[in-house]
Amino acid sequence: MSRVLVIGDLHAPAVHKDYFEFVRSIRRKYRTDQTVFIGDIIDHNAISFHKSHPESPDALNEYNKAFEIVKRWYKAYPNATVTLGNHDERVHRLAADAGVPSMYLKEYNELYKTQNWEWKQSVEIDGIYYYHGTGASSAYPAFNAAKLRNQSVVMGHHHTKAAINWMCGANNHNIYGMSVGCGVDNTHLSMLYAEHYLIKPVHSCAVVHDGHPYLEM
């Protein structure tokens, strides 16, 4: 079975300055052989349904900053799967709302020069379902998704949640839901909407080793 490194939401360019080296240390610790970015690699703060901070960079400058960050991660993890997050898809969603077909938009691989990454909605590895987590909610969103699918689920999306919850069903069938936390910098301009929230992002990533989940804070 695989040893999967699961990298939390990055929201480039709003990535915590220590997250890259932290994730590399976890890869070395577990000697992982597959990598899944759990989504929201890109923030797209300037292309948003919500108001941006007035001092935030415009869309082109934000793209250039995000591109440089993605380039660094791509060099470190040249073969990876990206489960698309709601922030990654912002441009496509806005285009769809404006009646622009996706054929007119650049693909993610072309836009970010990540030819070997596979950008997709979800992926199953060793019977475990990985997806960003858009639409899942409650105090234990990954666990709820696992119960609905009757299948172990690994997801991101909720920056303030890092947890593993288990359920044992008939015939000792164990399933779990794991929320992997994130790698965002909550002091970045694009994250200041949450500056007064009492609960803060959990900086963590995850590993699924031979089907068993591990969280690293």
Side-chain angles (χ1 to χ4, degrees):
M1 296 180 76
S2 304
R3 298 187 300 274
V4 184
L5 174 66
V6 189
I7 300 172
D9 296 24
L10 299 180
H11 286 265
V15 187
H16 192 284
K17 62 181 179 62
D18 297 327
Y19 193 62
F20 181 84
E21 291 300 332
F22 166 70
V23 171
R24 287 216 306 182
S25 73
I26 301 306
R27 178 176 64 170
R28 289 192 296 267
K29 176 180 177 179
Y30 289 91
R31 299 180 182 179
T32 57
D33 53 29
Q34 292 197 55
T35 303
V36 173
F37 289 86
I38 209 64
D40 281 358
I41 284 188
I42 310 300
D43 188 66
H44 285 137
N45 180 61
I47 304 174
S48 174
F49 300 94
H50 310 290
K51 289 183 178 180
S52 300
H53 191 281
E55 297 176 17
S56 296
D58 60 27
L60 185 56
N61 283 325
E62 185 187 16
Y63 164 77
N64 289 330
K65 292 175 184 292
F67 179 85
E68 291 302 315
I69 290 171
V70 171
K71 183 167 68 173
R72 185 187 189 197
W73 286 88
Y74 182 66
K75 183 177 180 180
Y77 306 93
N79 297 289
T81 300
V82 180
T83 63
L84 288 165
N86 53 303
H87 281 251
D88 299 317
E89 295 186 306
R90 269 182 172 172
V91 175
H92 289 75
R93 289 157 57 203
L94 286 168
D97 287 347
V100 179
S102 60
M103 61 178 284
Y104 288 104
L105 304 176
K106 287 185 177 181
E107 296 294 332
Y108 298 99
N109 283 336
E110 180 184 0
L111 188 60
Y112 296 105
K113 309 300 181 188
T114 56
Q115 284 73 16
N116 293 334
W117 281 4
E118 189 175 10
W119 300 68
K120 57 197 306 185
Q121 291 295 329
S122 62
V123 63
E124 290 195 28
I125 303 173
D126 298 330
I128 297 159
Y129 186 77
Y130 298 78
Y131 86 121
H132 178 61
T134 306
S137 60
S138 86
Y140 305 104
F143 190 47
N144 282 349
K147 289 187 289 185
L148 288 171
R149 293 187 60 85
N150 193 31
Q151 177 184 21
S152 292
V153 169
V154 178
M155 58 171 269
H157 187 51
H158 297 273
H159 301 171
T160 60
K161 300 185 187 303
I164 305 170
N165 300 95
W166 289 85
M167 179 178 70
C168 182
N171 301 317
N172 292 319
H173 174 54
N174 295 316
I175 65 171
Y176 60 82
M178 178 164 66
S179 294
V180 305
C182 70
V184 304
D185 175 6
N186 60 306
T187 68
H188 191 276
L189 285 175
S190 63
M191 296 291 154
L192 287 185
Y193 66 90
E195 66 178 326
H196 298 301
Y197 292 5
L198 293 179
I199 188 168
K200 304 299 182 182
V202 180
H203 295 123
S204 56
C205 67
V207 170
V208 179
H209 191 302
D210 293 340
H212 195 90
Y214 299 89
L215 268 175
E216 292 284 350
M217 314 295 283

